[in-house]
Amino acid sequence: MNDHHIDINPLLLNVDKAILYGVIKHELCHYHLHLEGKGYRHADQDFKKLLQAVGGLRYTPRLQQPKFHYQCIVCQQDYFRIRCLDVRKYACGKCAGRLKLAKDY
């Protein structure tokens, strides 16, 4: 905010233009509210109202597709991850059961 530059992920240049415009509107809302001294953070009501008024995106859509599919052995809860994880180190967040690699894309 202090240097008055807007940062946009370069991966957004390869997606639909409507998504890119929504993200640009989102960042401009941050910028405008910061300059006015109003609430510019995501949780602030000023930000939420302005973002809705201009039609900006609240969240950026997922830019990368998950490459790994893990599943809990006990409750069959699914977990999709972009990076590989060590199943000996992590457990299910729902029931604390062990995880197994269900599919590697």
Side-chain angles (χ1 to χ4, degrees):
M1 286 293 185
N2 294 332
D3 63 359
H4 301 295
H5 288 104
I6 295 175
D7 295 327
I8 296 176
N9 189 336
L11 293 176
L12 286 171
L13 300 175
N14 300 328
V15 299
D16 185 27
K17 294 294 181 195
I19 294 173
L20 178 62
Y21 294 153
V23 171
I24 291 171
K25 289 177 184 180
H26 175 105
E27 295 302 325
L28 286 173
C29 286
H30 283 299
Y31 182 76
H32 175 73
L33 291 170
H34 182 261
L35 290 179
E36 285 192 348
K38 295 182 179 178
Y40 63 90
R41 293 189 173 91
H42 291 124
D44 295 331
Q45 289 302 315
D46 293 332
F47 178 76
K48 290 178 183 179
K49 287 178 186 174
L50 182 61
L51 189 63
Q52 187 176 16
V54 299
L57 289 178
R58 180 106 165 99
Y59 302 102
T60 304
R62 186 178 295 260
L63 298 175
Q64 295 178 336
Q65 295 298 319
K67 297 176 184 164
F68 299 96
H69 174 204
Y70 296 94
Q71 193 172 45
C72 176
I73 295 172
V74 179
C75 70
Q76 276 65 51
Q77 173 73 30
D78 292 316
Y79 296 94
F80 297 94
R81 297 290 179 265
I82 293 173
R83 294 184 179 182
C84 182
L85 60 90
D86 187 359
V87 294
R88 295 171 294 175
K89 186 176 178 182
Y90 294 96
C92 176
K94 188 175 176 183
C95 72
R98 293 189 61 218
L99 299 176
K100 68 174 181 175
L101 180 62
K103 190 173 183 182
D104 187 355
Y105 298 104

